[in-house]
Amino acid sequence: MCHSARWHGPSFGELQMSSGTLPAAIHRGAFVLVLLLLALPAWSADPPSSGVLGRGTAWETNYYAQTSDRAGPTVVITAGVHGDEPAGAAAAEQIRHWPIVCGKLVVLPLANPPALAARTRTIPGAAAPQNNLNRNFPKTGQPGPPVGDQAEAIWQWLQVLQPDWVVDLHEGFGIRAAGSKSVGSSVVVRPDAAADAAVERMLAAVNATIDRDDKRFVRLGPPIDGSLARAAAEHLAAQAMILETSIQDLPPPVLKPAPQAKPDAAKPPHQPLSRRMRQHRLLVHALLTHLKMVDSTLQVDRVAGRAAAPDKTWVALYDAGGTGGQGGAAVERILAGAGMRVVRVGPEEIAAGSLTNFDVAVFPGGSGSKQAAAIGAPGREQVRQFVERGGGFVGICAGAYLCTSGFEWGLKLFDAKTISPKWQRGAGMLQMELTPAGRDIFGDRPMLLDVRYQNGPVITRAEIEAVPDYEVLAFFRTEVAQNGAPAGVMLDSPAIAGGNFGQGRVLFVSPHPEQTPGLEDLVHRGAQWAAGKP
Ligand SMILES: [Zn+2]
């Protein structure tokens, strides 16, 4: 059974229909209710509904509400308060699709759209100290008002919802358990017995996925004064907490440091965004499980895609083990800029069958064999099935190695093998030339295109019966052959090629158009082609 609910006050309709302030909404409540009754068809039950905060402002943003027929707690998830902490917003966008079995789940994925767009912690253009949205909510001993229009609108919205639980998704930089001063990898909550059981369960769920003690999530608290979570706890009597993932990762353990090693010299590696999103999902899922608001059919690693906007092209961008460099971020910027919806995925999301919610999977630069090892045999089978049943595959450099058929670890989606086992051919600007088929996909372009190259595959046909032949879309017209790689074989070999696998399409891209100024649109045209969309 669900935990019992308390009375939850005015309906969403009042919020949705009031573009003004809350007192105005309450005064107009009766009138609005009559309007609603007139407007709603008789069969309308309590479907997932959404609304808008800050309509007409620069920070206009959507929230999403689901109300179950069965009574239960009201849980509000907020994210994207700080614009340089992307994992919470991306995770909340997935969490909002989770079906609940009791109570009410309300999700505000993008609390601070201008800061998210600018990737800044603070509100762009706002004066300090008011520009930190998470210091603008009513402070201890001060019932209000909040500071600034944004905090005021969010606070009024929260007051109407009368939440039992408020969970605000953030990110820290360093990992607290490893000695960082940052609050990264923690649950920040008041020392309050009512939340203890839930917090313990949440920490256990996320820490079960972390194999090093110095990366584990810890409990901290209370939330800082002026934060949304602290205000909700103190002024709305909600159980409220801040979830913090860590943007930075720890370097792999070094058994015996080299004498000249300068530990501060190297930038700490980042944790893949897909992993940080997953940690937010695991924490929220454990809370909702504790509250009996979700049932065992919910798969926490099966991420939502296409259903949210079926008219868009949905791209699953692999960002975990075996990726490296700036390629993935560049691909995301280009595809999102072209109107596609890009979601980061890692091995767990692929293994859970998430690709079926997408039109195309993109594997960027790094190491093909390491990507193959990271997703494992089950992940490779998922990718193969996805393409066989009509999905698109785009492999760039390492991802291009990954789709080939000559390596034991290859996906064997593409009837090619590398000419030489020596892969460290070198890096630099090379020239390639589109074929007529390439011009059909990528547009009419000059004879020779400069393109950035870094150790990408040099291929020939593998002549595998089960995989159809590929068509060359661009040829290398210059080459590099360093580190003992054979000279001559790269010249006039395929730089870009397309093939079919089952119902799906595979785009092989050896060089880096996503990191070549002027060639960015090859990436989205290629993804569109692989997705099978005009
Ligand atoms: Zn934050």
Side-chain angles (χ1 to χ4, degrees):
M1 284 297 292
C2 287
H3 290 203
S4 64
R6 65 188 197 212
W7 183 75
H8 289 297
S11 73
F12 282 96
E14 285 170 320
L15 273 174
Q16 286 176 45
M17 299 189 65
S18 103
S19 55
T21 60
L22 178 71
I26 289 174
H27 287 138
R28 290 202 308 263
F31 175 62
V32 167
L33 191 63
V34 169
L35 279 184
L36 264 181
L37 289 173
L38 290 173
L40 289 175
W43 43 264
S44 172
D46 243 333
S49 59
S50 64
V52 177
L53 294 181
R55 191 186 291 283
T57 68
W59 47 272
E60 176 175 316
T61 190
N62 293 317
Y63 63 88
Y64 304 89
Q66 271 187 75
T67 307
S68 168
D69 291 341
R70 294 175 61 207
T74 293
V75 176
V76 175
I77 311 284
T78 53
V81 167
H82 288 143
D84 57 348
E85 300 167 13
E93 172 57 31
Q94 298 168 356
I95 291 166
R96 75 178 180 87
H97 297 284
W98 289 356
I100 55 165
V101 297
C102 75
K104 181 184 278 189
L105 177 64
V106 189
V107 184
L108 175 66
L110 313 174
N112 195 352
L116 285 160
R119 298 167 194 244
T120 55
R121 177 172 177 81
T122 52
I123 303 166
Q130 294 189 18
N131 56 4
N132 186 344
L133 180 57
N134 213 28
R135 301 293 181 272
N136 290 352
F137 295 95
K139 296 197 169 167
T140 298
Q142 302 169 19
V147 180
D149 291 354
Q150 261 176 280
E152 194 171 339
I154 293 169
W155 187 243
Q156 288 177 350
W157 168 78
L158 205 59
Q159 282 179 305
V160 171
L161 290 168
Q162 298 202 358
D164 299 290
W165 294 79
V166 174
V167 184
D168 194 21
L169 312 186
H170 284 253
E171 297 202 83
F173 288 90
I175 298 179
R176 189 55 165 250
S180 172
K181 286 180 190 154
S182 161
V183 290
S185 299
S186 74
V187 174
V188 187
V189 59
R190 283 200 307 185
D192 180 339
D196 277 355
V199 172
E200 259 176 49
R201 192 163 181 166
M202 294 164 74
L203 290 172
V206 72
N207 284 336
T209 68
I210 297 171
D211 57 5
R212 279 176 60 175
D213 284 349
D214 54 0
K215 289 195 195 180
R216 289 180 155 239
F217 278 64
V218 295
R219 177 176 176 159
L220 301 174
I224 195 165
D225 206 11
S227 66
L228 178 67
R230 176 128 159 197
E234 294 185 352
H235 300 290
L236 301 181
Q239 296 295 331
M241 60 183 85
I242 304 175
L243 308 186
E244 299 271 3
T245 49
S246 291
I247 292 173
Q248 288 175 357
D249 202 351
L250 299 177
V254 181
L255 296 179
K256 197 175 162 201
Q260 295 91 2
K262 289 185 217 151
D264 294 333
K267 260 173 54 178
H270 281 190
Q271 305 209 63
L273 181 56
S274 64
R275 182 195 297 164
R276 289 139 53 196
M277 291 160 63
R278 179 171 191 244
Q279 290 173 339
H280 276 299
R281 291 200 312 271
L282 288 165
L283 289 162
V284 173
H285 180 257
L287 174 63
L288 297 179
T289 303
H290 178 73
L291 299 173
K292 300 182 168 50
M293 287 176 65
V294 293
D295 66 23
S296 60
T297 61
L298 176 62
Q299 290 179 273
V300 70
D301 287 331
R302 203 176 146 84
V303 298
R306 199 184 292 118
D311 56 318
K312 299 284 184 183
T313 297
W314 283 82
V315 179
L317 174 61
Y318 179 76
D319 76 344
T323 61
Q326 299 305 308
V331 167
E332 177 161 27
R333 206 164 46 241
I334 292 165
L335 297 186
M340 297 184 182
R341 298 292 177 92
V342 182
V343 176
R344 303 288 192 104
V345 298
E348 291 82 8
E349 291 76 27
I350 291 173
S354 299
L355 292 182
T356 55
N357 293 331
F358 292 83
D359 299 303
V360 57
V362 178
F363 282 74
S367 156
S369 62
K370 286 181 182 164
Q371 291 179 8
I375 65 173
R380 298 200 291 272
E381 190 49 37
Q382 285 285 344
V383 179
R384 282 173 57 86
Q385 281 182 20
F386 165 67
V387 180
E388 191 164 28
R389 294 171 188 171
F393 179 98
V394 176
I396 300 174
C397 195
Y401 278 103
L402 182 63
C403 71
T404 59
S405 300
F407 302 105
E408 183 267 321
W409 45 262
L411 292 173
K412 301 173 180 67
L413 297 173
F414 191 72
D415 189 23
K417 60 184 181 189
T418 56
I419 291 175
S420 161
K422 295 202 184 285
W423 60 271
Q424 287 181 299
R425 299 190 69 85
M429 289 300 277
L430 296 182
Q431 289 187 314
M432 65 177 183
E433 182 183 2
L434 294 178
T435 63
R439 286 189 167 80
D440 283 347
I441 296 170
F442 301 115
D444 211 6
R445 300 209 172 234
M447 286 287 288
L448 294 175
L449 300 170
D450 289 328
V451 66
R452 190 168 163 245
Y453 171 84
Q454 186 167 11
N455 295 317
V458 176
I459 55 163
T460 184
R461 294 187 190 277
E463 309 294 2
I464 289 178
E465 285 300 315
V467 184
D469 286 350
Y470 59 78
E471 182 164 27
V472 180
L473 304 174
F475 287 108
F476 284 117
R477 294 304 188 205
T478 58
E479 75 165 11
V480 60
Q482 298 164 358
N483 304 313
V489 297
M490 185 175 188
L491 213 56
D492 302 328
S493 77
I496 304 177
N500 294 312
F501 183 75
Q503 306 292 309
R505 288 176 172 176
V506 178
L507 186 70
F508 165 99
V509 184
S510 176
H512 287 284
E514 85 286 5
Q515 295 177 70
T516 309
L519 294 189
E520 294 90 347
D521 71 312
L522 263 63
V523 180
H524 75 79
R525 286 172 188 245
Q528 201 76 346
W529 173 82
K533 297 198 171 184

